[in-house]
Amino acid sequence: MDILERIDLIDDFCKYIHNINKVISNYFSVYLFGSILKTDAKPKDIDVLIVYTYYDRSEIIRWEDLLYSYGNFIGLPVDCTILSKEEVMDTKFIERINAFRIIKKK
C-alpha cells in the first residue's frame, strides 16, 4: 500500500467513524493507532481505541459491530480496544501508543 492509498483509507475510515458517531451516543472518544499510521509498515489491520466515559454495553457492541463490518467490507480487519477514560488516564495508553484522535466525546 503506497502513501496515497493509506491516506485515502484513513480519510474514508475517519468519515465512517464520524457517521457512526451521528447515530450512536456521544459518550465516546475514538482514536486510530498502530501500523495504519506508520508509513514504513504494511498495515495488517486498523487499530481503533474507543474510550468511554459512561459504560453502555449495547452502545459498545454497536460500535464493534459497525467497525468489524467496515473491516470486512474493505478487506482489512478492524481491531477494537475499548477502555474507560479512567483506564486510559491510569495507563497513559494514548501517549504510549501515539494515537491519533478521530472523535472527542462531547
Side-chain angles (χ1 to χ4, degrees):
M1 174 180 297
D2 68 26
I3 190 72
L4 293 177
E5 291 172 318
R6 188 182 304 255
I7 290 170
D8 285 343
L9 176 66
I10 292 170
D11 185 55
D12 289 346
F13 188 75
C14 290
K15 288 175 186 172
Y16 184 74
I17 293 293
H18 281 278
N19 285 331
I20 293 174
N21 195 54
K22 290 176 185 176
V23 296
I24 296 182
S25 70
N26 293 316
Y27 298 117
F28 303 93
S29 295
V30 182
Y31 297 81
L32 270 179
F33 67 98
S35 61
I36 193 70
L37 298 178
K38 298 176 181 155
T39 58
D40 61 342
K42 182 178 179 188
K44 296 181 180 124
D45 62 5
I46 299 174
D47 293 299
V48 178
L49 169 64
I50 298 174
V51 181
Y52 62 87
T53 54
Y54 171 78
Y55 184 80
D56 183 331
R57 182 166 169 70
S58 64
E59 297 284 294
I60 289 172
I61 289 170
R62 287 178 68 194
W63 269 106
E64 288 179 318
D65 288 346
L66 290 166
L67 291 172
Y68 292 143
S69 295
Y70 185 82
N72 288 335
F73 176 72
I74 64 168
L76 197 60
V78 176
D79 184 26
C80 294
T81 301
I82 301 170
L83 299 172
S84 70
K85 182 178 177 181
E86 292 77 20
E87 290 171 316
V88 168
M89 292 173 64
D90 290 346
T91 63
K92 299 186 186 312
F93 191 77
I94 293 169
E95 292 84 2
R96 288 189 299 120
I97 62 171
N98 295 319
F100 172 76
R101 185 177 66 216
I102 301 172
I103 292 179
K104 181 177 181 181
K105 72 145 190 87
K106 292 182 180 178

